[in-house]
């Protein structure tokens, strides 16, 4: 069975550019999460979707970051006017249900480097 | 301000011995705690969890202990095996915020042959 997949695995971009990071969750999982892991840190919560809607986007650092999940499956994290400080591994996770009953399964992440 | 603290960046343990990974938290609203394991170039994988109504949860070689008064939890792995070499993240979830998991910085465990 396929796990959570993320594309691309690596993305190098220049400061000021726009990037999109894609997450394909496990089929049937209704909850989807984005995290960011900077060097030497643990994953940091960004946003959580239940179905198509963003149930909690309190972790997005500023309005340059936006995420969508239009059909309740694939999600795209969009970063505008990238800055060097955005360099990190962006992790996606999905779960069958939200809350304590739903174990989060993580993808391998997208390593974003902003030059 | 780290709400979940793993003060040991790394730990080396002889194969077959017990590995003890420690974690402290500051937020008294946390009532559910998790440990994740991460290999290089892979995402974290769930290992074991514990609710604040318990003080111990065991799953095979892995046991998590929770001391609420000290706001401290620990993960015991016994016996340690080479495949246990990985980064271990302690994480916590606040009461009534099931969707939110706050992670520590992780502890890199090396199992020595």
């Amino acid at each position: 069975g396929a796990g959570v997949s993320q594309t691309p695995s690596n993305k190098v971009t220049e400061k000021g550019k726009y990037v999109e990071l894609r997450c394909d969750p496990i089929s049937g999982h209704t909850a989807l999460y984005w995290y960011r892991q900077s060097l030497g840190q643990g994953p940091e919560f960004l946003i959580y979707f239940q179905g198509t809607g963003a149930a909690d986007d309190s972790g997005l650092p500023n309005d340059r970051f936006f995420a969508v999940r239009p059909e309740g499956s694939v999600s795209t994290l969009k970063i505008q006017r990238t800055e060097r400080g955005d360099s990190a591994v962006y992790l996606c996770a999905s779960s069958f249900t939200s809350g304590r009953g739903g174990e989060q399964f993580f993808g391998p992440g997208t390593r974003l480097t902003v030059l | 301000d780290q709400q979940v603290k793993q003060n040991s960046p790394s730990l080396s343990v002889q194969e077959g011995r017990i590995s003890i990974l420690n974690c402290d938290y500051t937020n008294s609203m946390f009532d559910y705690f998790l440990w994740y394991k991460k290999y290089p170039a892979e995402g974290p994988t769930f290992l074991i969890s514990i609710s604040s109504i318990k003080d111990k949860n065991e799953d095979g070689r892995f046991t998590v202990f929770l001391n609420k008064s000290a706001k401290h939890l620990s993960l015991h792995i016994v016996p340690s095996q080479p495949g246990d070499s990985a980064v271990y993240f302690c994480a916590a979830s606040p009461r009534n915020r099931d969707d939110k998991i706050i992670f520590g910085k992780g502890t890199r465990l090396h199992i020595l042959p």
Side-chain angles (χ1 to χ4, degrees), chain A residues 90-112:
Chain A
Y90 289 80
L91 294 163
C92 176
S94 70
S95 63
F96 181 69
T97 183
S98 62
R100 276 86 192 267
E103 176 190 337
Q104 293 187 26
F105 293 84
F106 282 81
T110 293
R111 182 175 297 278
L112 175 66

Side-chain angles (χ1 to χ4, degrees), chain A residues 65-77:
Chain A
F65 288 75
F66 189 70
V68 295
R69 195 186 185 200
E71 297 177 357
S73 178
V74 171
S75 177
T76 305
L77 178 65

Side-chain angles (χ1 to χ4, degrees), chain A residues 33 35 37 40-45 48 55-56 58-59 91 98-101 103-109, chain B residues 2 31-32 36 38 41-46 89 93-106:
Chain A
Y33 310 78
Y35 294 83
Q37 186 177 9
Q41 304 293 317
E44 174 194 13
F45 171 84
Y48 151 63
D56 181 354
S58 62
L91 294 163
S98 62
R100 276 86 192 267
E103 176 190 337
Q104 293 187 26
F105 293 84
F106 282 81
Chain B
Q2 282 274 314
D31 70 341
Y32 188 68
Y36 281 79
K38 185 181 184 302
E42 296 183 10
T45 55
F46 171 77
F89 291 104
S93 177
R95 190 173 303 125
N96 299 326
R97 291 301 309 274
D98 291 355
D99 58 287
K100 181 157 283 186
I101 297 179
I102 311 297
F103 285 83
K105 291 186 178 183

